[in-house]
C-alpha cells in the first residue's frame, strides 16, 4: 500500500503481514494434506481475526496507546467495564486440530463453551481478546483476580505485554469448581511463567505489568514442558467469566 513521507510502518506489522500472506499462500497445500474433518473456514476466520494485516495494525496502535492506569481493586474486565476488550475464540484449528468453541458476551459475563478433542493433533480451546486499544497499566498492583462459573476443569490464564502474535505468553493455571459453581481465584504476577507453545522460556524479560495488551483463557491437554493437565477430558466444557479485577 502507498504511504506518505510522514507515515511509519511498524516492524511488527510488516512481519505479521508477511506471515499472514505466507499462511494464506500455503492454505491449499495444508487443506489438501488435512483430513476432511478439519474446518478450513474456521482456520481462515481465526487467522483473519488475530493474524491479519488489520489485526497487526490494531496491535501496533494499541501498543503505542496511552495506558489505562488501574489501582488495586480496579476492573480489568467486566460486562459493564470492558476497557475496549473484544473476545474471540482461538482453538486448535490453527494447527490442524478439531476442537471448537464459541463465545458470547452477555450482561452477566463472557459465556465460553464448546468441545475439546485431541483429534488432528490438537488438544486445546481458548478465548482471547484482540489487542486492547489502550494497554492496561497494573504496575501498582500485585496481580489479578478472576471470578468464573466453572465446570471442574483446570484452565490457563494468559497475559501478554506485546502485540506480537506469537510473543511471550505469561501463563498460570487455575482450577474451577464443578457444576457451574462460582470460583474466585487470585493470580499474583509472580505466579505467571513465560511460555511459548506451552514450553517455558528461561531467557524472557520480566512481565511488563505497565503495558498489558491481551487476556486469554485456555483449556489444554498440556500444562508446561510436556506435562499433562490432570483434569483434562475430551468432550464438552463450559466456563463463564464474570469479572477480572486488579489485586
Amino acid at each position: 500500500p502507498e504511504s506518505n513521507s510522514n507515515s511509519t510502518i511498524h516492524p511488527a506489522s510488516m512481519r505479521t503481514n508477511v506471515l499472514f500472506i505466507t499462511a494464506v499462500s500455503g492454505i491449499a497445500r495444508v487443506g489438501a494434506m488435512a483430513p476432511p474433518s478439519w474446518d478450513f473456514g474456521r482456520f481462515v476466520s481465526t487467522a483473519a481475526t488475530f493474524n491479519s494485516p488489520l489485526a497487526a495494525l490494531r496491535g501496533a496502535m494499541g501498543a503505542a496507546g496511552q495506558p489505562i492506569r488501574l489501582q488495586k481493586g480496579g476492573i480489568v474486565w467486566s460486562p459493564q467495564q470492558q476497557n475496549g476488550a473484544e473476545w474471540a475464540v482461538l482453538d486448535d484449528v490453527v494447527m490442524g486440530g478439531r476442537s471448537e468453541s464459541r463465545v458470547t458476551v452477555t450482561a452477566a459475563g463472557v459465556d465460553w463453551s464448546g468441545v475439546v478433542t485431541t483429534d488432528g493433533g490438537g488438544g486445546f480451546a481458548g478465548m482471547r481478546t484482540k489487542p486492547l486499544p489502550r494497554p492496561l497499566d497494573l504496575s501498582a498492583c500485585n496481580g489479578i483476580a478472576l471470578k468464573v462459573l466453572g465446570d471442574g476443569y483446570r484452565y490457563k490464564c494468559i497475559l501478554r505485554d506485546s502485540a506480537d502474535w506469537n510473543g511471550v505468553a505469561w501463563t498460570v493455571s487455575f482450577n474451577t469448581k464443578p457444576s457451574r459453581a462460582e470460583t474466585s481465584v487470585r493470580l499474583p504476577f509472580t505466579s505467571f511463567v513465560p511460555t511459548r507453545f506451552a514450553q517455558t522460556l528461561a531467557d524472557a524479560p520480566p512481565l511488563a505489568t505497565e503495558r498489558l495488551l491481551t487476556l486469554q483463557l485456555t483449556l489444554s491437554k498440556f500444562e508446561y514442558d510436556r506435562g499433562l493437565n490432570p483434569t483434562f477430558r475430551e468432550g464438552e466444557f463450559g466456563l463463564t467469566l464474570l469479572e477480572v479485577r486488579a489485586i
Side-chain angles (χ1 to χ4, degrees), residues 168 170 193-195 201-207:
V168 178
W170 288 86
V193 296
T195 69
L201 305 173
D203 56 352
L207 173 63

Side-chain angles (χ1 to χ4, degrees), residues 224-239:
Y224 312 98
D225 302 324
R226 298 187 179 183
L228 298 179
N229 179 348
T231 72
F232 180 82
R233 298 290 186 277
E234 296 191 54
E236 296 182 352
F237 71 92
L239 180 138

Side-chain angles (χ1 to χ4, degrees), residues 24-104:
V24 171
S25 66
I27 281 175
R29 180 173 57 84
V30 173
M33 294 171 58
S37 57
W38 180 67
D39 195 326
F40 169 79
R42 285 199 301 121
F43 168 79
V44 173
S45 176
T46 303
T49 298
F50 291 106
N51 204 24
S52 68
L54 182 60
L57 178 61
R58 176 192 172 109
M61 293 175 64
Q66 182 67 29
I68 299 173
R69 186 172 177 83
L70 297 180
Q71 302 297 324
K72 293 178 180 178
I75 297 293
V76 174
W77 185 89
S78 75
Q80 292 72 40
Q81 186 173 331
Q82 301 186 25
N83 290 321
E86 295 183 37
W87 294 93
V89 296
L90 180 57
D91 300 330
D92 58 19
V93 69
V94 296
M95 51 189 299
R98 313 295 188 270
S99 300
E100 183 173 3
S101 65
R102 66 200 68 84
V103 295
T104 305

